[in-house]
Amino acid sequence: MDFDALLLLSFGGPEGPEQVMPFLENVTRGRGIPRERLAAVAEHYLHFGGVSPINGINRELIVAIEAELARRGLELPVYFGNRNWEPYVEDAVAQMRDNGIRRAAVFSTSAWGGYSGCTQYQEDIARARMSAGSDAPELTKLRQYFDHPLLVEMFADAIRDAAATLPEAVRAAARLVFTAHSIPLRAAARCGPDLYERQVGHTSALVAAAAGYRDYDQVWQSRSGPPQMPWLEPDVGDHLDSLARAGTEAVIVCPVGFVADHIEVVWDLDSELASQAADAGIAFARASTPNAQPRFAQLVVDLIDEMRFGRPAARLAESEVPGYGCSVNGALCTPACSVDR
């Protein structure tokens, strides 16, 4: 399958203090989140001047992707669209239409299956094409990449780099903790039994082995919503308390569920969790995410080449954990995802 463009599809984030509340209202529309809860989350963004890192990182990643495309001799323009803030995906697809793009690959900044990690991006594609009208380009969302060798390699290297920042006296005994965004248990049951949880666990096992760790913990972070609604647990903060009670002297936290250092990383981990660790007397190191590394750009173009040349998916290890392939024009890649939320 040939493409004449690439669309990088992401979540979006504010780029100024005046944008924070409108952005959060976009994200939570229809969910009945109290205004006071939005105001509390807004403070996280305002701590960084009202600017989420995610748009800037994505623009840097696009530059790296363009360089990788050029290195491989591919002439594909790269477009950028978001679900929740400018540049909106609807505007990006309209621009593609006006530029004569007929068939484009779509890379989403989520490695995972499940509703939030995959299906919602398919809905974004379908909505943007509908907005663009009958001349909208065909859009093919590239596959989930949670076990791609380059993703595992980047996280493993990040863990080793983080470990090197710890005091030498506690480095060898540091506890490795993987964290990913928690989701409601009801949502976790979509798209196959516990698909997201299983994929995150599989990736953590691959990364730990690649980094040379036999033992590690898998936890979750950044939950929201009413307290009576069950979410994936344990929470990373609660887990850190448990480690402190057990006498742990150092931790390495790897945000394996995130491909970029956006607000749930720089606030929830680098600010709140780091402060909690300091209060408990625990040496703390946080592994970086792929962000805009050249290897991440290589991964993106690898996924395109799988489609162009019909190559087998590059997966680090055979596993019973499913990873679904491409979807066209917002169609679901597994029927289980059509279950109502």
Side-chain angles (χ1 to χ4, degrees):
M1 177 181 291
D2 288 329
F3 300 108
D4 51 7
L6 171 68
L7 170 63
L8 188 146
L9 178 57
S10 194
F11 189 82
E15 298 188 89
E18 74 285 354
Q19 299 178 5
V20 172
M21 284 302 291
F23 163 75
L24 292 175
E25 289 166 354
N26 277 354
V27 173
T28 60
R29 183 172 288 114
R31 293 169 53 188
I33 304 298
R35 184 77 178 180
E36 56 269 22
R37 171 58 182 162
L38 295 185
V41 175
E43 289 300 319
H44 303 170
Y45 289 91
L46 294 173
H47 180 81
F48 300 99
V51 179
S52 168
I54 190 170
N55 276 351
I57 291 170
N58 282 333
R59 293 188 182 103
E60 292 176 11
L61 178 58
I62 287 172
V63 172
I65 291 169
E66 290 171 336
E68 181 64 19
L69 288 168
R71 189 182 71 81
R72 300 195 198 187
L74 289 174
E75 296 183 2
L76 293 182
V78 183
Y79 295 81
F80 177 25
N82 288 319
R83 176 187 306 151
N84 296 300
W85 202 249
E86 299 173 350
Y88 287 106
V89 62
E90 292 90 344
D91 296 332
V93 173
Q95 182 183 7
M96 295 165 73
R97 175 204 63 203
D98 294 345
N99 291 347
I101 301 300
R102 303 314 309 153
R103 181 183 293 122
V106 181
F107 175 79
S108 69
T109 55
S110 168
W112 314 103
Y115 179 70
S116 297
C118 184
T119 308
Q120 200 166 9
Y121 285 109
Q122 294 166 344
E123 294 174 352
D124 295 337
I125 292 168
R127 185 182 67 254
R129 292 191 76 251
M130 182 176 295
S131 175
S134 59
D135 292 332
E138 180 179 295
L139 300 176
T140 300
K141 181 183 176 295
L142 300 173
R143 69 171 177 88
Q144 299 158 16
Y145 50 94
F146 61 94
D147 55 358
H148 192 287
L150 287 174
L151 188 75
V152 173
E153 181 183 289
M154 285 184 284
F155 276 119
D157 286 350
I159 289 170
R160 286 188 282 264
D161 291 344
T165 68
L166 291 170
E168 188 172 355
V170 298
R171 190 178 304 159
R175 188 68 183 173
L176 177 59
V177 178
F178 290 99
T179 181
H181 206 301
S182 185
I183 60 175
L185 295 187
R186 183 174 63 178
R190 297 192 67 193
C191 302
D194 305 321
L195 176 66
Y196 170 67
E197 187 176 5
R198 292 166 65 199
Q199 286 181 344
V200 170
H202 180 59
T203 302
S204 295
L206 293 175
V207 172
Y213 288 79
R214 296 180 60 184
D215 297 316
Y216 62 90
D217 302 320
Q218 177 67 63
V219 301
W220 310 92
Q221 66 171 86
S222 308
R223 67 154 293 166
S224 59
Q228 64 270 23
M229 179 183 293
W231 286 53
L232 291 175
E233 294 179 339
D235 175 78
V236 64
D238 295 338
H239 185 67
L240 188 65
D241 285 340
S242 297
L243 292 177
R245 290 193 295 270
T248 300
E249 295 182 298
V251 296
I252 303 166
V253 176
C254 177
V256 73
F258 303 88
V259 298
D261 287 355
H262 45 78
I263 203 72
E264 285 85 358
V265 176
V266 298
W267 175 261
D268 294 4
L269 300 181
D270 295 351
S271 181
E272 289 192 326
L273 194 69
S275 177
Q276 181 183 343
D279 290 343
I282 296 175
F284 178 88
R286 198 267 290 175
S288 66
T289 60
N291 287 320
Q293 293 183 45
R295 284 180 294 181
F296 199 19
Q298 292 170 25
L299 183 158
V300 176
V301 183
D302 281 353
L303 297 182
I304 296 172
D305 281 351
E306 288 177 6
M307 290 292 294
R308 292 176 64 234
F309 300 114
R311 293 173 178 167
R315 305 184 71 185
L316 190 61
E318 290 298 322
S319 168
E320 295 181 358
V321 179
Y324 294 104
C326 308
S327 63
V328 180
N329 295 339
L332 298 173
C333 50
T334 172
C337 288
S338 64
V339 177
D340 289 340
R341 299 195 296 281

